[in-house]
Amino acid sequence: MNIYIPQQSIEVIREVEVVVAGGGPAGYAAALAAARNGAKTLLVERYGFLGGVGTNSLVSGFSSGFHDGERLIIGGVYQEMREALYRQGSLVKTDNYEPFDPEALAFYYMKSLLDAGVELLLHSWVADVVRTGDRIDAIIIESKSGRQAIKATTFIDATGDADVSARAGVGFEIGRPSDGLMQPVSLMFAVAGVNGDRLLKEIDQIEGGPFNGHIAGMEHVIFGGQEERIAQAKARGYLFNVPRKSIAIAWTLPGRPDVVYLNMTRVQHVDGTRMEDLTRAEIEGRYQIEEAVKFLRECIPGFEQCYLQRVATQVGIRESRRIKGLYTLTDRDVVSLRQFDDVVAQAHYMIDIHDPVGNDTQYVELAKGTSYDIPYRCLLQNQVTNLLTAGRCISATHEAFSSLRVMSISIALGEAAGTGAALAGKLGLVPGELKAEALQTALLKQGAILH
């Protein structure tokens, strides 16, 4: 049964040059770059804070996509943010995995956007778009104020799920080609009361426990693997409802020696664009966390007195929609380290596919000192001319996407999208008409690393 709702007039509350939908890593960088390049910019975010998976999903560490093992390959907005958090003691520098304080990141994002003149609309959800021909005229947002419209010259979809693109009629793919299944989701959590010294002594004595720093020294620890320990615990009845064979990551945050953030849950058969699946994922994730905390207390030295301190605001979505763009990045492009004339970002993160139906994770590592390019065409499509897509919903195959989905790469893609939108607007062009050389010149001046 359908319910008929009479057509209603919707108030236009803002008219700007660039609208960015989504305040995660890509949306943050897109809005910042657009504003710094002179565009009147507005960012719409569903939560009351910014940061995306780094804050709302507690994935509080930048993965190694920004560094090829020998040098930084992502600069610009990302490097500026990284240095600022490091100076204030909210991030630990390495060439691999860099833990950060998610609350510090959320404030840094907000302050730097406001300082750049970006207008923020928080607690606002993109509900629909108004499209005429091959252009979006406005986005429709939903909030406590009801339904309202925002008009713009150019729109940037940084929602992670390609919500704006999909509502505008842009073609997309979702999941792997064979069956449409997506990588599982995880609900992150933090425990406090950890005895770091005892944990590190244990790590020194068991296989699979490489670490950096020292918890008691106010640095950080990465505690991964532990397949044998988990297998033994499962045989004793622990983690019976957690489909993982290992502890993926556990780390402390800068200045918090007894607090450890963990990635231990896995909920399968979740489509991040369906509310029913998201609801089930949140429920199952909470049950898995209860089991995980019990396992930590009773099976991992150093965690005997730990307690659940915090659960992420929402499950972390690894994969959902990917637009069908002017070019689709493939796994062959990734592993062959392909270079493109219209490069807007470099990347060095492994192909990292969490099994949609099993307990395993597929990894394909890239050689040290190498990287691949992501071309501008992956952010563009030929159906809506004044729309750019940034972050993990750009045009890529299921396999290539598993490499480019991390936050540092999303920031680089967001910076490219925001810069491209602002430059195109200045020249009276749509983003697809902007020459790649002009965009690359601007990005290089901003400190981006393209070669």
Side-chain angles (χ1 to χ4, degrees), residues 142-448:
E142 185 82 49
S143 71
K144 287 288 188 179
S145 300
R147 288 208 160 189
Q148 298 168 312
I150 302 169
K151 299 185 71 174
T153 305
T154 305
F155 297 83
I156 298 176
D157 184 349
T159 60
D161 299 314
D163 290 335
V164 176
S165 303
R167 284 160 175 74
V170 173
F172 62 87
E173 295 178 338
I174 191 164
R176 59 188 184 184
S178 60
D179 53 17
L181 292 180
M182 284 156 273
Q183 296 187 60
V185 305
S186 293
L187 187 60
M188 299 286 293
F189 63 101
V191 296
V194 178
N195 184 327
D197 293 325
R198 178 163 165 73
L199 173 61
L200 286 177
K201 287 178 183 177
E202 179 71 15
I203 290 174
D204 279 338
Q205 299 171 11
I206 58 179
E207 183 181 355
F211 66 95
N212 293 313
H214 193 283
I215 295 179
M218 308 280 285
E219 285 293 329
H220 74 288
V221 60
I222 297 172
F223 181 59
Q226 311 309 308
E227 289 88 349
E228 183 177 349
R229 188 183 294 271
I230 286 182
Q232 293 173 352
K234 282 179 174 284
R236 293 161 50 203
Y238 293 95
L239 300 173
F240 60 90
N241 196 38
V242 181
R244 297 197 80 126
K245 296 169 65 176
S246 65
I247 297 175
I249 301 170
W251 64 88
T252 64
L253 294 178
R256 300 181 188 176
D258 71 326
V259 178
V260 177
Y261 279 51
L262 295 112
N263 180 356
M264 286 186 64
T265 69
R266 176 177 282 184
V267 184
Q268 295 164 326
H269 301 286
V270 173
D271 180 343
T273 68
R274 286 175 46 84
M275 65 174 179
E276 296 90 348
D277 286 6
L278 290 171
T279 300
R280 175 174 59 82
E282 299 286 357
I283 294 170
E284 289 189 19
R286 294 272 177 169
Y287 275 100
Q288 289 186 22
I289 287 172
E290 287 297 305
E291 294 180 41
V293 172
K294 181 180 180 182
F295 160 76
L296 291 168
R297 284 181 186 144
E298 300 181 13
C299 301
I300 301 293
F303 285 83
E304 292 89 348
Q305 303 300 318
C306 79
Y307 59 92
L308 182 62
Q309 183 200 54
R310 185 177 181 187
V311 177
T313 303
Q314 74 158 65
V315 292
I317 306 296
R318 291 187 173 89
E319 176 180 13
S320 59
R321 300 186 188 102
R322 310 179 306 276
I323 67 162
K324 292 182 179 179
L326 298 184
Y327 183 81
T328 300
L329 196 76
T330 69
D331 56 334
R332 179 169 295 184
D333 294 330
V334 174
V335 298
S336 68
L337 309 172
R338 186 169 177 185
Q339 312 295 293
F340 293 91
D341 290 340
D342 60 335
V343 55
V344 293
Q346 294 187 102
H348 177 91
Y349 188 68
M350 61 189 171
I351 290 178
D352 175 16
I353 304 175
H354 295 244
D355 192 338
V357 294
N359 298 334
D360 293 326
T361 303
Q362 175 190 347
Y363 300 113
V364 179
E365 300 276 0
L366 302 183
K368 185 177 181 179
T370 66
S371 62
Y372 64 91
D373 288 351
I374 302 175
Y376 185 42
R377 287 166 292 160
C378 289
L379 284 61
L380 302 166
Q381 32 66 46
N382 59 12
Q383 293 158 289
V384 181
T385 59
N386 64 335
L387 173 65
L388 282 155
T389 304
R392 66 176 174 84
C393 47
I394 66 168
S395 183
T397 63
H398 169 76
E399 295 79 13
F401 157 84
S402 73
S403 171
L404 64 82
R405 64 185 171 86
V406 296
M407 288 183 285
S408 57
I409 300 172
S410 289
I411 290 174
L413 294 171
E415 182 172 7
T419 304
L423 291 182
K426 287 180 181 179
L427 297 171
L429 306 173
V430 294
E433 295 172 334
L434 181 67
K435 292 187 179 299
E437 294 86 350
L439 175 55
Q440 291 166 340
T441 298
L443 290 172
L444 290 170
K445 287 181 179 178
Q446 294 164 192

Side-chain angles (χ1 to χ4, degrees), residues 18-87:
V18 175
V19 164
V20 179
Y28 159 72
L32 187 67
R36 286 180 172 178
N37 279 278
K40 184 179 180 183
T41 304
L42 181 147
L43 183 146
V44 176
E45 165 58 37
R46 61 183 288 190
Y47 290 112
F49 56 92
L50 305 172
V53 294
T55 55
N56 63 41
S57 297
L58 296 187
V59 184
S60 51
F62 293 111
S63 296
S64 57
F66 62 90
H67 202 288
D68 68 6
E70 294 181 354
R71 68 182 182 103
L72 284 167
I73 58 170
I74 295 178
V77 168
Y78 174 75
Q79 179 64 357
E80 178 186 343
M81 174 273 302
R82 179 176 180 254
E83 291 293 335
L85 292 181
Y86 173 71
R87 286 194 301 270

